[in-house]
Amino acid sequence: QVRLVESGGGSVQTGGSLRVSCTASKFAFSSYCMAWFRQFPNKEREGVAFIGANGNHTAKYADSVKGRFTIALDKGNPDTTTLLLRIDNLEPADTAMYVCAAYTGRGYCPGLTTSGYNYWGRGTQVSVSS
């Protein structure tokens, strides 16, 4: 069973930067992808970025966050995998619960859609004040 635990959320002012992390127990699979979503109150979960674990770690972003969000994967620890999300030039509209997800199936990575990911974290809250 893969366990995902997010951390690094907090309260920041508009224009600031923040890095959130998601620590996963080491995957027993060589092929997987991971993603960040954000959850607004009373709205559907929104995909912001995803990254593949193979090769050169290809990453893709939602149009709404391109240029401000950077996703990265750290597999240096022998026991865990860490998914990172750096958010620059924060805006009040970025206020949300940030949740990480992992897909370990044999098909294509689900990308920015919620369906398909088989592991989810509980999230870390990011609040941006003006």
Side-chain angles (χ1 to χ4, degrees):
Q1 182 74 13
V2 175
R3 184 166 175 253
L4 305 180
V5 180
E6 299 92 338
S7 62
S11 298
V12 295
Q13 292 188 329
T14 297
S17 296
L18 195 67
R19 190 179 77 169
V20 292
S21 302
C22 171
T23 301
S25 51
K26 201 68 172 180
F27 291 105
F29 316 93
S30 60
S31 178
Y32 59 93
C33 68
M34 297 186 75
W36 282 103
F37 292 80
R38 56 187 181 182
Q39 181 78 60
F40 302 105
N42 302 316
K43 290 187 178 180
E44 291 187 1
R45 196 165 283 181
E46 173 189 80
V48 297
F50 71 94
I51 186 168
N54 298 330
N56 59 0
H57 295 180
T58 299
K60 291 191 177 180
Y61 301 87
D63 289 342
S64 59
V65 304
K66 280 181 182 176
R68 295 193 302 117
F69 285 38
T70 304
I71 190 171
L73 200 60
D74 181 358
K75 298 191 290 182
N77 189 306
D79 299 318
T80 59
T81 294
T82 301
L83 181 69
L84 303 166
L85 182 71
R86 179 179 171 86
I87 310 172
D88 294 314
N89 195 19
L90 278 154
E91 305 167 352
D94 295 320
T95 296
M97 181 73 76
Y98 285 75
V99 184
C100 69
Y103 171 73
T104 59
R106 295 184 177 182
Y108 292 105
C109 179
L112 297 177
T113 59
T114 57
S115 61
Y117 285 97
N118 48 336
Y119 296 103
W120 291 87
R122 293 188 175 185
T124 185
Q125 179 68 36
V126 172
S127 299
V128 185
S129 58
S130 56

